[in-house]
Amino acid sequence: MSKKVVIYGRTSTTKNQSVDHQLRELREISKRNDWEIVEEYLDKGISGSLGRDGRPSFDRLLKDVNRKKFDGILVWSIDRLGRSL
């Protein structure tokens, strides 16, 4: 039974930024480890300084953490989760 994981991707702006590179790399990591990606949560053009009320996908991710919908979270860099980390 493979581990169930999700991906969280975020960009601060939509100008010259894309989550495509983040997704490509994280999908490859998941594939190499035989992990099943059950969801991708993407906040495009949203600052990491905003709270969860300003980042709809991040808010949904945290709700799904409480619902125990997956075993782990893949994120390109810790600063994609938030600026105050």
Side-chain angles (χ1 to χ4, degrees):
M1 182 175 182
S2 68
K3 186 177 191 176
K4 292 182 179 182
V5 297
V6 297
I7 290 175
Y8 179 72
R10 182 185 62 78
T11 58
S12 299
T13 69
T14 54
K15 184 180 180 180
N16 299 324
Q17 290 187 346
S18 168
V19 295
D20 293 342
H21 180 70
Q22 295 174 41
L23 293 175
R24 196 170 33 255
E25 294 293 324
L26 295 171
R27 288 173 182 154
E28 181 58 35
I29 290 168
S30 178
K31 183 178 178 181
R32 279 195 311 252
N33 288 284
D34 196 32
W35 296 335
E36 176 188 358
I37 299 171
V38 295
E39 183 86 37
E40 292 179 354
Y41 302 85
L42 307 174
D43 284 317
K44 298 175 185 176
I46 299 177
S47 171
S49 65
L50 295 176
R52 64 190 284 182
D53 58 328
R55 296 190 281 161
S57 290
F58 186 65
D59 182 54
R60 207 166 39 86
L61 168 71
L62 294 179
K63 288 176 181 173
D64 287 346
V65 165
N66 288 327
R67 294 180 185 120
K68 300 180 182 184
K69 288 190 166 189
F70 47 83
D71 302 309
I73 301 168
L74 302 179
V75 63
W76 173 251
S77 173
I78 195 71
D79 70 345
R80 298 299 85 199
L81 291 175
R83 286 286 169 211
S84 62
L85 298 174

